[in-house]
Amino acid sequence: ATTTTFDSMLKEDYQPGLRKQLNDEVMMLAQIGKNTEDFEGRRAVLALETGRSTGGGARKEGDTLPPARASDAAEERITVRQQTGVIQVSVHLMAASKSDKGSFARGVKQEMSSLTRFQKRNTNRQVYGTSNGVIATCGTTSAATLIVLATTTSAVAMRQFRINMRVDIGTVAQLGSGGGGRVYGAVISAVSAANKTITIDTAITTASTDFVARAGSGGSSTNQKEFPGLQPIIAASGALFNVDPATTPDWAAYEDANSGTNRTATESLFIKTIQQSEIAGGVTPDLFICSDGVHRAYANQLISQKRFSNTVDLKGGYKGLEIQGGGDSVALAWAKDCPLNRAFGINTSHLTQHQSSDWEFMDMDGAVLSRVSGEDAYEAVAFKYHEITTDKRNAHILISDLTEA
C-alpha cells in the first residue's frame, strides 16, 4: 500500500483559524485627531480669520491717524458623509458554522469582521481620493465586457479593483445620478494590472470621458457621497467647505510642481516647501505622506550620500524617515493608496476627522441582526458618519512631479 492507493482512507488535518491575506491598515487616519464632541445637527460651522486688520502705519507727530480696516472672516461649513456596509448570512450557514467542528470561523462573526476591514480599506482609498468616487479613467472599449482603462492608470488605482466587486461606469454626472451611467452595479470577474483592464458581466462601450467608481459611491457637487480626500484639501485652488481661495487667497495650500516633469525627491526640495509653508501660513507640516516609490527614492538619496536614515515614531506604531527642515524634524511615511509621484505635507494639528458616529452596527431596536423578509437569512448594517476636514488649508503643502524608485 502507498499513500496513493490509501488516499481515500486518509483524513484532512484542517488547522484552526482563517488566515487573513489582505492588507487592511489605515495609516493616515491614525495620525489625526477626532472631533466627536458636540457635533450634532445639520453641520458643523467654524469661523475662520482670513485677513488681518490693516488699519495701521507709521506717522509723524500731528499726522492724521490711519483709517480703520476690519479683519476678514469666513464661515467654514462641514457636513458628514455616510459610510455604510451590509452583511447577510443564511440560517443554514449559521447552523453549519456554530463550532470549530464544522468550520474554521463562525459565519456571522467572520462576515462582520470582514465587512469592518473592507470599510476601513475603502475609507483609506477615499483619504487619498478626489471626493467624486472615481477610481480610474476609461480608455476605448467597443461593446465588450473587457473594459480597457486609460494607459495612465496607476498601479495604485488597479489594486483598488477586486473580483466580485460591483462598479459603476460613466461620466461623473452619470455616476452621481444613482442609477445612470453606461453600467450600474456591474460585477468584476477578472482584473489585469499588467494590461490595465477589468472584466465585468455587462458588455458596454466606453470613451475617455468615462470613469469607474465603486457602485453607488460616485458623484460630485450636490451628488457627492465620498468625503474630500487629501487631493482636494491640499490644493491651491478650488472651493472647500464653503470657502474659495479665488476670493479668500489665504485659503490655499502651497503647491510645488515641475510642469509635469518628474524630479528627484531631494531633502533640499522638502526643506524648501517646509519653509514656504512657514511663510504662507505661519506653521509647518509635521508629516509627509507619499507612495512607496517616492519613499524609496528619497531613502536612496540618503544612501547615496552615505547618511544614516533616522526614523521618527508615528501614532499607531508607524514609522517615517526623518527630514530636517531647519527646525523640528518632519517624518516622511508612505501609504499604499497614496497617488504616485507626489508627497502630501500635512500639519496634523490642523487636520481633523469630524464625526458624529464611529464604526458601529445598527442596533437601535436592540438587535444587531435583523431577519431578511422572505428568506431564511439575517442581515446586519454597519455605518459611520464622518468628514476629513481642515481649519487651516495653508498649513498643508503638496509636492508633485516626483520620481518613483
Side-chain angles (χ1 to χ4, degrees), residues 86-388:
V86 181
I87 66 165
Q88 181 173 317
V89 182
S90 71
V91 176
H92 190 174
L93 173 60
M94 294 168 69
S97 63
K98 62 184 179 182
S99 71
D100 287 341
K101 181 179 180 180
S103 67
F104 295 111
R106 310 294 81 77
V108 173
K109 183 179 180 180
Q110 166 60 24
E111 289 303 297
M112 285 183 171
S113 176
S114 180
L115 176 64
T116 301
R117 294 195 304 271
F118 159 75
Q119 291 289 30
K120 289 181 179 180
R121 183 72 177 84
N122 189 45
T123 299
N124 197 53
R125 173 186 61 80
Q126 295 177 52
V127 165
Y128 303 98
T130 56
S131 78
N132 59 12
V134 169
I135 297 176
T137 303
C138 292
T140 300
T141 299
S142 300
T145 58
L146 182 69
I147 309 303
V148 178
L149 301 175
T151 56
T152 55
T153 303
S154 69
V156 175
M158 290 305 305
R159 58 176 170 255
Q160 304 299 334
F161 297 118
R162 295 279 180 181
I163 293 175
N164 293 326
M165 171 180 169
R166 290 186 177 272
V167 295
D168 300 337
I169 299 177
T171 65
V172 172
Q174 290 171 332
L175 294 175
S177 66
R182 301 189 184 281
V183 65
Y184 187 79
V187 179
I188 295 178
S189 59
V191 178
S192 174
N195 297 320
K196 298 181 179 180
T197 61
I198 58 174
T199 303
I200 61 175
D201 58 356
T202 305
I204 62 171
T205 297
T206 66
S208 60
T209 54
D210 294 318
F211 305 94
V212 186
R214 185 173 293 281
S217 296
S220 61
S221 188
T222 57
N223 288 324
Q224 179 183 337
K225 302 178 184 68
E226 296 189 352
F227 59 77
L230 293 186
Q231 292 191 60
I233 290 176
I234 307 179
S237 61
L240 179 71
F241 305 129
N242 192 54
V243 185
D244 194 336
T247 55
T248 308
D250 285 333
W251 190 245
Y254 175 75
E255 292 188 18
D256 192 300
N258 196 41
S259 303
T261 301
N262 291 336
R263 65 270 174 78
T264 304
T266 63
E267 188 173 45
S268 176
L269 178 58
F270 282 107
I271 292 174
K272 170 191 171 184
T273 59
I274 291 171
Q275 293 169 339
Q276 290 298 318
S277 175
E278 173 71 29
I279 292 170
V283 296
T284 60
D286 51 24
L287 173 64
F288 279 97
I289 302 178
C290 61
S291 65
D292 57 320
V294 170
H295 191 269
R296 288 192 299 272
Y298 177 74
N300 289 342
Q301 287 291 305
L302 301 182
I303 294 173
S304 66
Q305 298 168 14
K306 301 185 185 307
R307 291 176 52 190
F308 177 72
S309 300
N310 293 324
T311 59
V312 179
D313 291 331
L314 302 173
K315 294 178 181 178
Y318 297 96
K319 292 182 179 294
L321 294 177
E322 183 182 36
I323 300 174
Q324 287 289 349
D328 294 334
S329 61
V330 181
L332 174 68
W334 68 275
K336 58 182 175 293
D337 292 325
C338 186
L340 303 181
N341 308 114
R342 68 190 77 180
F344 295 99
I346 66 174
N347 184 296
T348 54
S349 297
H350 293 287
L351 203 62
T352 303
Q353 182 179 196
H354 280 82
Q355 62 181 41
S356 56
S357 166
D358 204 346
W359 282 114
E360 55 185 292
F361 282 93
M362 190 181 298
D363 62 353
M364 293 182 181
D365 59 354
V368 171
L369 293 176
S370 301
R371 293 180 182 178
V372 178
S373 180
E375 298 184 34
D376 65 333
Y378 284 84
E379 69 176 9
V381 179
F383 65 92
K384 178 175 183 175
Y385 298 100
H386 67 149
E387 185 86 308
I388 306 300

